[in-house]
Amino acid sequence: MKRTNSINSMALIAVFASLTAIGAFIKITLPVVPFTLQIVIVFLAGTLLGSSRGLQSQLVYLFVGLAGLPVFTKGGGITYLLQPTFGYLIGFAAAAYVIGFIIERVPVPNRKHFIVANLAGTAVTYAIGVPYLYVALNSWMDTPANAMHVLVAGFFSTIVIDIALAVGTGLLAARLYPILKKFIHTKRGARHELENTRTRSH
């Protein structure tokens, strides 16, 4: 049973890592920080997979990209660490964990909880991504930029739509969450009954 649960967890982690990669290429090109649909997958990873598996899904995505597969918006490889937008990818991993952590603390989460968790995840993403962008531009990118320029390029240009997505995805998660929980519970019950049947037959 534990082995089956582990396989299911790995499958979900792999699915959400793949979806994050796909989301990287559904984008709107902006001058410094492109807008992508990755954050929608991050919201769903946190709310539906929980803190641990949500984080793992994003770490798998990061490790695969840094290993050289072109799953990031501008390619892949270890040098992607030097991209000024890499901080947002780190932020995605942290956000998935925070979102899941918040939902896990609520016995029966509703739409309000999912929206609040997503907004918290959005805040975490920007709290990591914007400072990383500032440091990158003003150090190894050798592109001097003051704080206001960085805020305009890396915060104000996308925050409104990200908030809208946080709310919309929260409403979606409120519908998907009980379905996923029921599905997992049903599978566990079926496995438990099968094991009991085998035990009785022996």
Side-chain angles (χ1 to χ4, degrees):
M1 184 173 179
K2 289 183 178 179
R3 177 180 174 83
T4 304
N5 288 339
S6 178
I7 292 173
N8 290 340
S9 292
M10 288 189 292
L12 287 171
I13 289 167
V15 166
F16 275 84
S18 300
L19 289 174
T20 305
I22 293 171
F25 298 98
I26 303 175
K27 62 184 179 180
I28 298 174
T29 302
L30 298 174
V32 180
V33 181
F35 168 78
T36 73
L37 285 185
Q38 288 173 297
I39 198 165
V40 171
I41 309 304
V42 172
F43 292 150
L44 292 174
T47 53
L48 301 181
L49 301 187
S51 58
S52 179
R53 289 183 298 184
L55 170 63
Q56 290 172 42
S57 71
Q58 298 309 301
L59 290 179
V60 168
Y61 169 66
L62 288 177
F63 290 151
V64 167
L66 291 175
L69 291 181
V71 296
F72 300 142
T73 303
K74 295 181 180 179
I78 193 66
T79 57
Y80 210 87
L81 287 166
L82 300 178
Q83 285 288 334
T85 57
F86 189 76
Y88 293 94
L89 301 183
I90 299 174
F92 287 161
Y97 180 85
V98 169
I99 292 168
F101 182 85
I102 292 172
I103 296 301
E104 289 166 351
R105 296 302 178 276
V106 182
V108 184
N110 56 35
R111 289 179 295 181
K112 178 184 69 177
H113 298 117
F114 288 111
I115 291 172
V116 169
N118 285 348
L119 291 174
T122 303
V124 168
T125 300
Y126 280 99
I128 297 174
V130 173
Y132 197 101
L133 176 64
Y134 179 85
V135 172
L137 291 176
N138 286 283
S139 54
W140 59 83
M141 295 296 293
D142 195 26
T143 308
N146 59 38
M148 182 53 66
H149 174 76
V150 171
L151 285 173
V152 169
F155 181 76
F156 294 120
S157 63
T158 53
I159 186 60
V160 173
I161 192 168
D162 280 345
I163 289 175
L165 289 173
V167 174
T169 308
L171 297 175
L172 175 62
R175 290 181 174 273
L176 295 178
Y177 183 83
I179 296 173
L180 182 63
K181 287 294 182 183
K182 183 178 180 180
F183 175 73
I184 292 174
H185 179 74
T186 301
K187 289 191 69 175
R188 286 177 178 172
R191 286 196 300 269
H192 184 66
E193 181 62 29
L194 179 60
E195 289 174 358
N196 286 341
T197 302
R198 288 174 177 173
T199 301
R200 288 194 296 269
S201 66
H202 285 79

